[in-house]
Amino acid sequence: MLPVGLLLLALTQPLLPGPPGGRLGLEQALEVAQRYLEQRPEPYKAELKYKRREGWLVWEFRLGGFEVWVDAQNGRVNYLRPRPIPPHARRPHLPFQQALSLARTLVPQVEKLELKPKEGLLIWEVRGGPQEIWLDAQSGRVLRRNP
């Protein structure tokens, strides 16, 4: 478990400078989360979300047995909690970076990439704007595209 002092430091200091006038991209926010955890576990979920109650726009990651929220505006880790790795994340699947590369060819900006079981399949769910796409988690083949 990470020391409490490190959590307090993360809540007050960005680990990476944010882009001027913009928000952190997925890969930059992932780097912040991995540095914070002091390890480089592969994520099985990355999603840009607005947390209404807190008023934060965050990248929410699930990786290495943790849920980590990285503030998309300033690069601070705003939240960390243990989160068990789900059994489906242990099944064979394309690595996150490979799924992300495929997702970027299908949507202009990836806002969500999550490994999940759906309708008896293991998929990488991709969201970008109004589009939702299901990729076969092993082959990367497009299974469904909405709209």
Side-chain angles (χ1 to χ4, degrees):
M1 194 66 169
L2 297 172
V4 173
L6 187 56
L7 175 59
L8 293 175
L9 177 64
L11 291 173
T12 60
Q13 298 295 317
L15 294 176
L16 287 175
R23 65 177 182 229
L24 267 68
L26 189 156
E27 288 175 309
Q28 191 177 19
L30 175 58
E31 185 177 338
V32 169
Q34 290 172 330
R35 279 190 191 178
Y36 180 75
L37 293 173
E38 298 178 345
Q39 53 181 313
R40 300 193 72 73
E42 181 173 292
Y44 54 91
K45 178 181 181 179
E47 183 175 9
L48 184 65
K49 293 176 109 174
Y50 181 69
K51 302 292 186 177
R52 278 186 184 43
R53 188 176 58 193
E54 296 85 358
W56 298 332
L57 180 64
V58 301
W59 281 103
E60 179 184 312
F61 294 101
R62 305 259 172 92
L63 66 170
F66 292 95
E67 178 178 340
V68 182
W69 297 358
V70 177
D71 191 300
Q73 302 299 325
N74 62 30
R76 292 185 181 125
V77 172
N78 289 344
Y79 184 79
L80 169 73
R81 74 172 171 165
R83 189 82 179 219
I85 298 171
H88 68 268
R90 299 183 194 280
R91 293 174 37 198
H93 60 273
L94 292 173
F96 180 84
Q97 287 297 333
Q98 191 173 349
L100 179 58
S101 293
L102 286 169
R104 285 193 167 133
T105 67
L106 300 167
V107 296
Q109 185 170 334
V110 177
E111 296 168 356
K112 179 179 183 180
L113 181 59
E114 181 176 4
L115 182 69
K116 61 195 315 185
K118 284 265 191 151
E119 298 177 10
L121 303 167
L122 184 61
I123 65 161
W124 279 106
E125 181 181 270
V126 178
R127 286 194 188 156
Q131 294 185 39
E132 180 179 311
I133 299 169
W134 291 9
L135 301 176
D136 180 277
Q138 287 188 314
S139 69
R141 183 173 50 93
V142 174
L143 299 174
R144 183 178 294 176
R145 185 185 293 242
N146 294 323

